[in-house]
Amino acid sequence: MIVTGELVNGERLDEISLSEKFGCSRTPLREAFQSLAASGLLELIPHRGAFVRHPDLSDMIEMFEVMAELEAFCGRLAARRVTQQDLAELYRTVIACEDAVANNDSDRYYAENEKFHHLLYKASGNQFLADQAGQLHRRLKPYRRLQLRVRGRLEQSLSEHRAILEALENGNADDVAVALRAHVAVQGGKFNDLMASYKSFQQSGQKFGT
Amino acid sequence: MIVTGELVNGERLDEISLSEKFGCSRTPLREAFQSLAASGLLELIPHRGAFVRHPDLSDMIEMFEVMAELEAFCGRLAARRVTQQDLAELYRTVIACEDAVANNDSDRYYAENEKFHHLLYKASGNQFLADQAGQLHRRLKPYRRLQLRVRGRLEQSLSEHRAILEALENGNADDVAVALRAHVAVQGGKFNDLMASYKSFQQSGQKFGT
DNA sequence: AATTCCAATATTGTATACAAAAATCTTGAC
DNA sequence: GTCAAGATTTTTGTATACAATATTGGAATT
C-alpha cells in the first residue's frame, strides 16, 4: 500500500477525502495509517485523527547518532562473521560505485550505496540487527538522499566504502567500527549538509512510500 | 488494548472466535493484530491470517546481542550527558535494589532493575535511542524476568549496577560501556540461564500485554 | 490407488452503515 | 461586545454485510 502526497508537518490527514482520492474505503486507509504510525511518520491521536509528524532537526541528529552506532556494530560483527561471498558482493558494489562516480551518476551511486549498506547489515550475521538497521536506514532515506547531492560527497563516500571494505577484509573489527561510525555520523561539515538537506526537504513537497 | 492468552508458536489467531471472546467485532481486533505484528509478536500473512511468532533461541540471542550494544551506547552517551538528578535517581534505585536483595524480594528487585535501566536510557540524552532501547527491553521482558530467578543472580546483578553507576559518576564512557555490555550480554553461564528460562517460558502459558 | 481438477466452504480483505466523541457554531446572558 | 452553555455538525471508532481469495473435500480420470 502506498501513500503519496505533499504534506506539511502537523497536518491532519482526513480519512474521507483521502479515501475518495485513492478510490477505496476508510478501512484500508486506517490500516495504512497504523502502519505509517508504527514507522514514525504519522502520529495517531485517539478520537482526533492522524497527524503528519516530520522529525525535527534534533530528532534527525538523534536518529543518525543511533544509525552510526548500529552500523558500527554491524561492522564489528561482520569483521568476525563475514563470508567470502559477502565480501565479493560488497566488492562488486564498490566497483559499481566507482563507475557511478566516474559518470557522475548520483542516482546509480545512491542505489549501489544502499546495496552496500544492506549487504553489511546482512554480513553481521545477526538478522534482528540487520532488520533494525534496515528499518532505520529506510526512515532516514529522504535525508541521506539529498546529502549525496552535495558536491564532492560522492567521492568521499566512495573512499570511505573502500576503507570499510579493506578493514573488513583484514578482519579488524575496531577499524571497521571506527570507519563506519565516521561514515554515517553527522559531524563537522556534514552537519551543515544535513541541515541544508533538511530545510530543502521541509520546503519541497515530499513522497512517502511503504 | 490488551491481548491475553495462552498461545503456542505458529498458532493461527482466528478473528471470529477471538472477536466473540472479547465481545467486539473484527475491526478493532485486526487493528490490534497490526500493532502486535509491528512489535514482532505476530506475523501477518496476506490472505492467510495472523500467526503467533515466538522468537526461537537464536532470535533471542540476536536480540540480546543488540540490547547489550544499545545499552552500552546509552551508557557511553550518558557518561557525557548524565545530570546530577539522573545520578541521584539511579542511586536511589541501587539502594532500593540492595534492600530488595536483603529481603530476597525478586519482584521488587525486578521493578527497581527496570527503573534503573529506563533511567539509563533517558540519561543518554537521546530520546530516539531511549525509545528504541525501551521497546527492545520490553520485548525481552519475559525472558529476563525468569533469568533473575536464578540463584545468586540478584546479588551479581546488583553489584554490576553499582559498578555501572560508579563508572557513570566518574564520567568514564568506556568503563560504562564495558560494564553495561557485560551486564546485558548473554555469555558464559548466562547462556544456560537464558536457555532454561526460554524452555520454561515455552512450556508454560504466557501473557502478552500491549 | 493416486492424482488432478473443480466445487464448496471457510477466512481474510473491503465497503458501508451506525455509534460515540470531539469540534464548531449558534444563541443567550451578562 | 464578550463569554459561556448547549445544539449541530463533523470526524473518528466500531459493527456488520459483502467481495475476493485461499483452503479443503470430493469426484472423476489415469
Side-chain angles (χ1 to χ4, degrees):
Chain A
M1 185 124 355
I2 299 199
V3 175
T4 309
E6 276 82 53
L7 306 167
V8 295
N9 195 15
E11 186 177 346
R12 192 182 124 269
L13 296 183
D14 186 55
E15 296 182 354
I16 295 174
S17 50
L18 276 176
S19 68
E20 286 169 1
K21 186 174 172 187
F22 288 111
C24 68
S25 81
R26 283 173 49 219
T27 312
L29 254 179
R30 288 172 60 84
E31 299 200 344
F33 281 2
Q34 288 207 348
S35 164
L36 292 172
S39 42
L41 274 57
L42 292 180
E43 185 178 3
L44 296 178
I45 303 178
H47 293 107
R48 293 286 305 277
F51 296 84
V52 179
R53 277 286 170 265
H54 289 184
D56 63 21
L57 199 56
S58 98
D59 292 333
M60 284 187 36
I61 289 167
E62 289 186 353
M63 288 196 272
F64 272 104
E65 199 167 58
V66 174
M67 185 83 255
E69 204 58 26
L70 282 182
E71 295 222 13
F73 188 43
C74 284
R76 206 177 299 135
L77 292 178
R80 286 190 288 161
R81 302 174 179 173
V82 70
T83 65
Q84 278 308 116
Q85 195 194 333
D86 290 333
L87 282 174
E89 288 183 46
L90 282 165
Y91 186 70
R92 266 202 295 281
T93 67
V94 170
I95 297 292
C97 280
E98 280 170 0
D99 195 57
V101 167
N103 296 315
N104 208 27
D105 183 347
S106 89
D107 285 343
R108 170 114 184 278
Y109 187 90
Y110 180 76
E112 293 295 332
N113 175 61
E114 186 125 301
K115 212 183 285 178
F116 180 87
H117 284 273
H118 280 102
L119 281 169
L120 187 83
Y121 304 157
K122 180 170 150 282
S124 75
N126 182 324
Q127 188 57 48
F128 179 76
L129 175 60
D131 289 345
Q132 293 288 108
Q135 260 179 259
L136 186 50
H137 184 97
R138 188 166 130 269
R139 202 158 152 191
L140 292 172
K141 206 169 181 170
Y143 305 100
R144 195 177 14 241
R145 171 104 214 183
L146 284 157
Q147 275 186 272
L148 281 177
R149 292 263 154 74
V150 173
R151 177 189 289 276
R153 178 76 189 117
L154 251 58
E155 288 83 352
Q156 194 197 336
S157 170
L158 173 59
S159 83
E160 286 166 1
H161 281 201
R162 280 205 208 91
I164 292 160
L165 182 53
E166 192 187 330
L168 260 183
E169 282 170 338
N170 295 336
N172 190 324
D174 287 338
D175 284 357
V176 178
V178 167
L180 266 166
R181 207 177 278 119
H183 178 58
V184 176
V186 174
Q187 51 193 0
K190 274 202 274 187
F191 178 80
N192 296 323
D193 299 345
L194 174 64
M195 201 151 94
S197 73
Y198 176 71
K199 285 185 181 165
S200 142
F201 184 74
Q202 283 283 78
Q203 285 168 10
S204 72
Q206 61 245 211
K207 297 180 183 103
F208 288 125
T210 44
Chain B
M1 182 122 1
I2 299 197
V3 175
T4 308
E6 276 82 55
L7 307 167
V8 296
N9 196 15
E11 187 177 345
R12 191 181 124 269
L13 297 182
D14 186 55
E15 295 182 355
I16 294 174
S17 50
L18 277 175
S19 68
E20 285 168 2
K21 186 175 174 188
F22 288 110
C24 67
S25 80
R26 282 173 51 217
T27 311
L29 254 180
R30 289 172 59 84
E31 299 201 345
F33 281 2
Q34 289 207 348
S35 165
L36 291 172
S39 42
L41 274 60
L42 292 181
E43 185 178 2
L44 297 179
I45 303 178
H47 293 108
R48 294 286 306 278
F51 296 84
V52 179
R53 276 286 169 268
H54 289 183
D56 61 22
L57 198 57
S58 99
D59 292 333
M60 284 187 35
I61 289 166
E62 289 186 352
M63 288 196 273
F64 272 104
E65 198 168 58
V66 174
M67 184 85 254
E69 205 57 27
L70 282 182
E71 295 223 12
F73 188 44
C74 284
R76 207 178 298 138
L77 292 179
R80 285 190 289 160
R81 302 174 179 172
V82 70
T83 66
Q84 278 307 116
Q85 196 194 331
D86 290 333
L87 282 173
E89 289 183 45
L90 282 164
Y91 186 70
R92 266 201 296 279
T93 67
V94 170
I95 298 290
C97 279
E98 280 170 0
D99 195 58
V101 167
N103 296 315
N104 207 26
D105 182 346
S106 89
D107 284 343
R108 168 113 185 280
Y109 187 91
Y110 180 76
E112 292 295 332
N113 175 60
E114 185 126 301
K115 212 184 284 178
F116 180 87
H117 284 274
H118 280 102
L119 281 170
L120 187 84
Y121 304 157
K122 179 171 151 282
S124 75
N126 183 324
Q127 188 57 49
F128 178 76
L129 175 60
D131 289 345
Q132 294 287 108
Q135 259 179 259
L136 186 51
H137 184 97
R138 188 167 131 271
R139 203 159 153 191
L140 291 172
K141 206 169 181 168
Y143 305 99
R144 195 176 17 239
R145 172 103 214 182
L146 284 157
Q147 274 186 274
L148 280 177
R149 293 263 154 75
V150 173
R151 177 188 291 275
R153 178 75 191 118
L154 251 57
E155 288 82 353
Q156 194 198 337
S157 170
L158 173 59
S159 82
E160 286 166 1
H161 280 201
R162 280 205 209 90
I164 291 161
L165 182 54
E166 192 187 327
L168 261 183
E169 282 169 337
N170 295 335
N172 191 323
D174 287 338
D175 283 358
V176 179
V178 167
L180 266 166
R181 207 177 278 120
H183 179 58
V184 176
V186 174
Q187 52 194 0
K190 274 202 275 188
F191 178 80
N192 296 323
D193 298 347
L194 175 63
M195 202 150 94
S197 72
Y198 176 72
K199 284 184 182 166
S200 143
F201 183 76
Q202 283 283 77
Q203 284 167 12
S204 72
Q206 61 245 213
K207 296 178 183 103
F208 289 124
T210 43

